[in-house]
Amino acid sequence: MFDEAWAQMNENYYDEKFHGLDWKKTKEYYRQFVPYLNTRSDLRVMLNDMLGELNSSHQGFGTFGDDETIDLTNRTMETGIIFESGDPYKVKYIVKRSAADKKGVDIKAGDVLVKVNDETVEKIWTAIIISANHP
């Protein structure tokens, strides 16, 4: 697609001198980025950067492919629950846009964690932390 887009401009651009730009050199410069493109959107952005080098008004590369509408998501083992430092079972706050900040997850600041996946949380660590800090 990169070569086709470049060739289309090479063969059909209205100014055979490309506004003074070395169009072949521009192709080689942008070609180095092709292996690092991950999505159609990445290609569109790069082609628009390349076309922008021509400094032509109202010119760009557009695409209407369905693959540009796919939302990318990330998964992490992090819950997004931040606990109080003095009470490791009490919720201090929830990180925005985290796993715990989803519709249907009812966790708020001030809540005390007592179960995880319906298993009771043992508070043994509290005793260890308290005795380690206060002999």
Side-chain angles (χ1 to χ4, degrees), residues 79-126:
T79 62
I81 303 170
I82 306 301
F83 294 96
E84 295 285 347
S85 58
D87 184 352
Y89 300 96
K90 187 174 182 180
V91 177
K92 184 174 183 178
Y93 66 91
I94 302 297
V95 177
K96 295 217 182 282
R97 295 189 301 267
S98 69
D101 186 36
K102 302 280 185 214
K103 186 177 180 180
V105 178
D106 187 24
I107 301 173
K108 303 179 275 311
D111 289 349
V112 177
L113 179 67
V114 293
K115 287 187 176 182
V116 175
N117 295 332
D118 286 328
E119 294 213 19
T120 302
V121 176
E122 293 183 38
K123 292 196 171 188
I124 188 170
W125 290 105
T126 304

Side-chain angles (χ1 to χ4, degrees), residues 33-101:
F33 302 114
V34 171
Y36 304 102
L37 302 177
N38 293 309
T39 65
R40 183 183 188 123
S41 177
D42 290 347
L43 176 64
R44 178 182 42 77
V45 169
M46 189 194 67
L47 289 175
N48 278 312
D49 287 348
M50 182 175 75
L51 293 173
E53 301 275 349
L54 290 166
N55 206 15
S56 297
S57 178
H58 298 90
Q59 182 173 317
F61 178 84
T63 178
F64 302 101
D66 290 342
D67 52 337
E68 283 216 41
T69 61
I70 296 172
D71 291 329
L72 299 177
T73 58
N74 293 319
R75 293 191 179 182
T76 178
M77 296 296 290
E78 299 292 332
T79 62
I81 303 170
I82 306 301
F83 294 96
E84 295 285 347
S85 58
D87 184 352
Y89 300 96
K90 187 174 182 180
V91 177
K92 184 174 183 178
Y93 66 91
I94 302 297
V95 177
K96 295 217 182 282
R97 295 189 301 267
S98 69
D101 186 36

